[in-house]
Amino acid sequence: MKYISELMESINRCLLPKLAKYFDESQTHKEFDIRNENLRHNFQLLEQCLGDLDILKTKEVSAIIAALLILYKELTCDCSWNNEDTQEYSKKLNIYFELLCGLRLDNILHQRSNFNVQEIYDTSLDMLHRKLSYENFKKYPGQVEVYCSIVKDLRKYKVSLNPQNVFPASLLLIDDYINANKSKGLICCLSILRCLEYKHFKGGNYYEVVYKSLMKVSIEKDADITKLTHACLLELCRIFPSDIKDARLKEIYSEILDQLYTESNLYRKAECFKFTKNIIEFHKVSCVIKNNFKNIINDSLDNCTNEAVAEILLPHTLQCLEEWLKYCWPIWKLSSDYKMISALLKVLLTSKDSEIATHIQKLLITLICLCKTDEQKQIIANLDKANEIQNTEFNLRIEAIKQEINV
C-alpha cells in the first residue's frame, strides 16, 4: 500500500495543480510555470515508483492505469500550459507503460486485454469528476481537456456506458457562460448521445436532465453553438421513450418556431430552418398544431427576394417547407394561404440559381395541385399574365409549371 500511495502521489505531482483563480480570469497562471519547472524532477520520481512496483500483480491496477491515462492525456493536449518538454514526457510515459504492461496508454481503452477496461474507464471518469465539480471545474483546465479527450473517442471503446457517470462534466461546460466551454460541453454531449440508446437510461430519467440543459442553451445567439445544440437535441429525440417523445417534440417544435419568428441573424436563422426540417421529420403530422409556421415561411421567402439573403437562407427555407408539406398539406388552403404562392413566385422571378428555381417550381406545382379545380383554373389564368413581365427565363419557368397542371 505504501508503494501504491507513493505512486499515486508522484502521478499527482506531475499533473497541473488546482489554480488559485478560474482559468478564464487571467491570461497567466503561476501554477503552469511551477508545474513545468518541477516536471523533470517529479517525472523521475514517477519512473522510480513504477520501477519499484509490479503493476501487473497489484490489486489496484485499474486505479493506477486510470491515473496514468489521465496524466498522459494532460501532458499530450495542445494547450497553453504544455510545451515541447511535456510532449516528450508523454511519449516517455507511453513507452514506459508499454514496457511494463505490453500495451500503450494511448489505446488502453480501445482493445480487449488482461486488464479490466471497463473498470479503468469508470475509474478515470470518477477521478475526473471529483475535481470537475460546479465550484472547481474552471480551476482544473487540464482535467477538462482530459475529459473532453476521453469522451471524444467514446465510440471506439470496449466499454458499456452509464449516463450518470459520463454526462456531468459536459453539462457543467454547457451551462457555463463562456462560449468556448459551451462548445466543448456540446461536443462531448453529442459524442455521448451518439453512443446511447434508451436502454441506457432505464432505471432513471437522466435524459430529462440533459434535455433541460440543452433547451436552456438553445436560445444562445452564436450560430456554432446553435448548430451543436440542435445536433444534440436531434440525438436526444432519437432516444426519448415513446410515452414522452411526443410532448418533448411539441415543446421543441414550438420553441424553434418562436426563435425563427424573432431571429435576425441570417446564419443562425438558416441553422434554425435546418433544425426545424429535422424536427418535422420526427414530429410529422403533429406539426399541424402550430399555424404560425406558414407565416414564418412567407416572411422568409419575402426576405429572400434579396440576393444576399437568398444565398444564405433560401435553400433551407425551401427544404423546410417541402418537409412540412409531406405531412401537413391538408391544412394548406388557397383562401387563407395564397400569400405562400405569391411569395414563391416573387423568389422564382429573382432567383438566378437554376437548381433553386427548379425546387421552387416543384413546390408551386405541389401547392397548386392541392387547390380545388376551380382554384387551379384561376391560378393558371393569373399565370398567363406572366408574359407581361419582360423576363424570358421567368416566363419559361411559368410555362413549365403550367404544363404540369392538368385542368
Side-chain angles (χ1 to χ4, degrees), residues 106-337:
D106 54 6
N107 66 357
I108 190 73
L109 298 177
H110 295 73
Q111 58 190 41
R112 306 284 184 194
S113 67
N114 292 329
F115 298 117
N116 189 329
V117 176
Q118 183 70 51
E119 197 170 275
I120 294 168
Y121 161 79
D122 289 336
T123 305
S124 299
L125 287 177
D126 182 56
M127 287 177 171
L128 290 167
H129 279 122
R130 282 181 214 166
K131 293 181 177 179
L132 303 181
S133 63
Y134 175 77
E135 296 82 8
N136 292 320
F137 77 95
K138 289 189 181 183
K139 295 183 178 181
Y140 287 107
Q143 302 288 281
V144 168
E145 293 301 322
V146 172
Y147 171 82
C148 293
S149 176
I150 288 176
V151 172
K152 178 186 68 176
D153 291 330
L154 215 49
R155 275 182 168 177
K156 302 176 183 177
Y157 301 157
K158 306 298 183 183
V159 297
S160 58
L161 303 180
N162 181 338
Q164 290 172 283
N165 290 348
V166 69
F167 267 119
S170 69
L171 298 184
L172 280 177
L173 290 166
I174 289 171
D175 289 341
D176 193 43
Y177 63 89
I178 297 173
N179 276 355
N181 283 340
K182 286 184 188 297
S183 181
K184 287 177 184 177
L186 288 165
I187 289 169
C188 290
C189 183
L190 184 58
S191 178
I192 297 166
L193 288 170
R194 284 174 172 168
C195 298
L196 297 179
E197 300 291 342
Y198 171 61
K199 64 182 180 181
H200 292 104
F201 292 96
K202 284 185 177 178
N205 63 343
Y206 200 80
Y207 51 81
E208 290 285 6
V209 178
V210 181
Y211 172 69
K212 287 177 182 177
S213 286
L214 292 174
M215 288 301 285
K216 184 179 176 183
V217 80
S218 69
I219 62 173
E220 288 293 326
K221 294 300 184 180
D222 183 272
D224 292 332
I225 297 295
T226 297
K227 188 174 183 178
L228 284 169
T229 305
H230 290 169
C232 289
L233 281 169
L234 289 173
E235 287 296 330
L236 196 56
C237 287
R238 177 183 59 81
I239 295 169
F240 277 136
S242 56
D243 58 332
I244 69 158
K245 190 169 187 174
D246 189 67
R248 293 295 169 266
L249 284 169
K250 182 180 179 181
E251 291 171 2
I252 295 170
Y253 186 57
S254 180
E255 173 65 29
I256 195 62
L257 290 186
D258 288 345
Q259 290 183 36
L260 276 170
Y261 190 74
T262 58
E263 184 57 56
S264 58
N265 182 296
L266 295 179
Y267 292 100
R268 187 174 186 276
K269 196 160 191 167
E271 291 300 330
C272 288
F273 269 120
K274 285 192 279 186
F275 181 59
T276 303
K277 174 185 177 292
N278 289 322
I279 291 299
I280 292 169
E281 286 183 84
F282 274 111
H283 207 32
K284 296 183 170 56
V285 71
S286 298
C287 293
V288 298
I289 61 172
K290 299 297 289 185
N291 203 42
N292 60 338
F293 174 87
K294 292 178 283 186
N295 293 330
I296 290 166
I297 290 292
N298 290 341
D299 288 344
S300 182
L301 290 172
D302 280 339
N303 292 329
C304 286
T305 54
N306 178 294
E307 187 176 350
V309 174
E311 187 176 346
I312 299 168
L313 215 55
L314 186 54
H316 308 298
T317 303
L318 298 176
Q319 289 165 16
C320 192
L321 173 58
E322 182 177 44
E323 194 65 31
W324 183 86
L325 285 171
K326 286 182 185 177
Y327 305 104
C328 304
W329 60 267
I331 68 166
W332 191 91
K333 305 295 180 186
L334 182 64
S335 57
S336 57
D337 304 319

Side-chain angles (χ1 to χ4, degrees), residues 336-347:
S336 57
D337 304 319
Y338 60 88
K339 287 182 180 179
M340 191 175 289
I341 289 181
S342 176
L344 284 167
L345 286 169
K346 287 179 189 176
V347 181

